[in-house]
Amino acid sequence: MFMDQFLITGSSRIAGEVTISGAKNAALPLLAAMILAETPTTLHNVPSLQDVRTLIELIGGMGIHIQKQDDTVTCDTKNIDNFYAPYDLVKTMRASILVLGPLLARFGEAEVSLPGGCAIGSRPVDQHLKAFEAMGAEISVENGYVKARAPKGGRLLGCHFSFDMITVGGTENVIMAAALAKGTTVLGNCALEPEVVDLANMLVAMGAKISGIGTATMTIEGVERLHGCEYSVVADRIETGSYLAGALMTRGDVLTKKTTASLLHPVLEKFEAMGAIITTGDDWIRAQMKGRPKPVDIRTQPHPGFPTDMQAQLMAICCLADGTSTIIENIFENRYMHVPELNRLGASIQVDGHTAVVKGVEKFTAAPVMATDLRASMSLVMAAATAEGDSLIDRIYHIDRGYEDVENKLRALGVTIERINTND
Ligand code: UD1
């Protein structure tokens, strides 16, 4: 599977209807939250994705009975026999760190591999660990593993903690832990992303006491135990935006179903500024595009700013705009890896530090390209779909991590796409 490629025969007008899946970035923390429940939990609208399979395997490895059938995951934690997340699985997906908070809160101990190449205090998870320490946990890093232990008595303690920077995963990990802590936790500078809200709502359905959901300060009154619940994953706003982007690139017309406009206002506003006609209903969003896109300036920011996970797809639209756009990436340092690939497809993009200047061109031209990360790969797929001729996209395992049933959804929108298994 890891060697699969996409062959895309371009020049498609992207038009049609597509049903949006549950959000990967909500499903992962919700799956981790299942560890907290003493009775069985059922989660619906879970997308079939590599990252979801990885986390299910990770949780199953702890002796927890967890299984996925169609889009429903059921989980029963009663036979858990270890609190360990091995490097082999964690290294493939940073979100694995989300099991640390639930394990530590419920069982008083956890041993979770650090996601690749980082030491304690360094960037990716320092905020998570700092918050757990503020809750009384003893944390050490040995042989690449975070070893965490709750204070005497086995329960974390409520505390006042404010994140140094806005972190989605950090906020999620810590609210899960605080839900079972002894006493009240007041968390400042929390992430406001819809996926954080979805997790907080599921925790409440499990019996947690949380106020301030969807605001920067959340107050969590710890309870002694949480019970199972039945819950459904929120729609994937990034998948929604990615397919709508296709309409803007091809004078197309895309209707996304089972999704909600309120999840992606910052993206829809930019699409409108680029000339799209956006219409919405309770559970659908439609983008229609007549002419060439207008250039825009964007900077990625935490929610409700423009999401970094839509930066590459927005850039692909800017590549075809009638003028020059400026993009500033504020969240991640190394998130322009798709730029050389888009340039291979005929774009004109220059990067200087955090800023990319995108000079619009009339059209993309077909070329062999390489997917570099999950969201970037979608920008290449869309660009290839508009280019005249055949483009071969390599390393599409990135796309399989985050986009459910991507070929069929693209075909329904008129894209000619074939998966080539180079192992054959
Ligand atoms: C989540 C999303 C990811 C999205 C990102 C930003 C999931 C599974 N992934 O990732 O798709 O791109 O939010 O919206 O939900 N940071 C620290 N220390 C920490 C934690 C984070 O320095 O302890 C830094 C990161 O390096 C990054 C920034 O803060 O520069 C934001 O990271 P964060 O919001 O934590 O992203 P993730 O939760 O990993």
Side-chain angles (χ1 to χ4, degrees):
M1 179 200 75
F2 284 101
M3 298 305 287
D4 286 4
Q5 298 171 323
F6 278 150
L7 177 64
I8 297 181
T9 306
S11 230
S12 315
R13 176 169 183 263
I14 299 182
E17 294 184 4
V18 62
T19 300
I20 298 303
S21 303
K24 170 184 86 78
N25 286 357
L28 298 176
L30 297 186
L31 288 170
M34 289 172 133
I35 296 173
L36 291 162
E38 290 186 9
T39 52
T41 309
T42 303
L43 192 56
H44 300 289
N45 204 29
V46 181
S48 294
L49 297 170
Q50 190 53 45
D51 277 10
V52 166
R53 284 187 283 273
T54 301
L55 191 53
I56 288 176
E57 193 182 339
L58 189 76
I59 293 171
M62 296 168 190
I64 292 174
H65 184 74
I66 182 166
Q67 62 178 36
K68 180 167 183 297
Q69 193 160 23
D70 302 323
D71 73 346
T72 297
V73 174
T74 47
C75 176
D76 185 346
T77 60
K78 73 171 182 291
N79 292 327
I80 187 165
D81 56 25
N82 71 85
F83 317 114
Y84 175 70
Y87 176 67
D88 273 358
L89 290 172
V90 174
K91 72 174 181 202
T92 66
M93 186 181 68
R94 175 162 303 167
S96 312
I97 196 74
L98 291 172
V99 301
L100 182 57
L103 287 174
L104 184 57
R106 181 155 172 224
F107 303 103
E109 60 178 299
E111 190 174 339
V112 178
S113 169
L114 276 173
C118 57
I120 195 163
S122 79
R123 284 186 47 208
V125 295
D126 60 317
Q127 295 298 308
H128 307 225
L129 303 187
K130 224 172 134 178
F132 295 144
E133 278 177 339
M135 299 174 95
E138 240 177 69
I139 310 258
S140 63
V141 175
E142 288 164 40
N143 308 109
Y145 280 79
V146 180
K147 292 191 177 176
R149 194 168 274 282
K152 259 208 187 105
R155 267 179 91 186
L156 293 169
L157 307 172
C159 72
H160 284 239
F161 181 84
S162 193
F163 294 98
D164 294 336
M165 87 260 305
I166 296 180
T167 154
V168 174
T171 306
E172 292 166 346
N173 224 343
V174 178
I175 60 173
M176 288 190 280
L180 281 182
K182 194 170 172 198
T184 300
T185 302
V186 181
L187 285 180
N189 204 21
C190 294
L192 310 179
E193 268 66 4
E195 294 76 21
V196 175
V197 172
D198 207 34
L199 171 64
N201 287 336
M202 172 155 148
L203 292 172
V204 168
M206 293 165 79
K209 294 190 175 155
I210 309 178
S211 61
I213 295 173
T215 73
T217 306
M218 275 193 270
T219 304
I220 303 125
E221 207 185 301
V223 295
E224 278 198 30
R225 53 180 51 90
L226 293 169
H227 51 76
C229 69
E230 194 160 349
Y231 197 79
S232 188
V233 181
V234 70
D236 196 318
R237 64 196 164 103
I238 305 301
E239 189 196 23
T240 306
S242 301
Y243 289 120
L244 293 174
L248 279 87
M249 294 170 70
T250 59
R251 298 170 199 223
D253 183 353
V254 172
L255 177 71
T256 51
K257 297 191 295 192
K258 266 185 85 180
T259 185
T260 316
S262 60
L263 298 170
L264 66 166
H265 273 311
V267 174
L268 298 179
E269 269 168 29
K270 285 295 170 194
F271 285 175
E272 283 181 326
M274 297 179 104
I277 298 163
I278 304 288
T279 41
T280 63
D282 280 351
D283 61 353
W284 57 267
I285 309 171
R286 179 180 184 185
Q288 293 165 278
M289 189 75 175
K290 292 265 154 33
R292 228 175 130 179
K294 296 190 194 100
V296 283
D297 295 332
I298 62 152
R299 52 178 65 230
T300 62
Q301 266 160 348
H303 194 77
F306 190 89
T308 176
D309 286 353
M310 275 298 295
Q311 181 252 104
Q313 302 88 315
L314 199 282
M315 183 183 278
I317 310 173
C318 292
C319 288
L320 297 175
D322 190 7
T324 300
S325 307
T326 307
I327 296 176
I328 300 175
E329 172 59 57
N330 281 320
I331 308 292
F332 291 107
E333 272 165 22
N334 190 17
R335 217 176 193 184
Y336 283 136
M337 289 182 308
H338 46 285
V339 166
E341 303 301 315
L342 287 171
N343 281 344
R344 287 172 56 75
L345 289 161
S348 173
I349 310 163
Q350 280 199 321
V351 174
D352 184 5
H354 288 260
T355 306
V357 176
V358 187
K359 244 195 254 169
V361 296
E362 291 257 345
K363 55 180 176 32
F364 284 111
T365 47
V369 289
M370 195 173 77
T372 50
D373 74 39
L374 202 162
R375 305 302 170 184
S377 35
M378 200 54 167
S379 73
L380 301 179
V381 166
M382 289 298 184
T386 73
E388 215 163 277
D390 289 351
S391 296
L392 198 60
I393 304 188
D394 208 355
R395 301 204 182 171
I396 58 161
Y397 57 85
H398 287 295
I399 214 167
D400 291 330
R401 284 188 50 208
Y403 288 91
E404 185 179 45
D405 203 16
V406 63
E407 296 116 283
N408 286 328
K409 291 192 186 190
L410 285 166
R411 280 191 200 114
L413 294 176
V415 176
T416 309
I417 180 168
E418 199 186 322
R419 184 181 286 259
I420 297 175
N421 187 329
T422 46
N423 290 330
D424 283 351

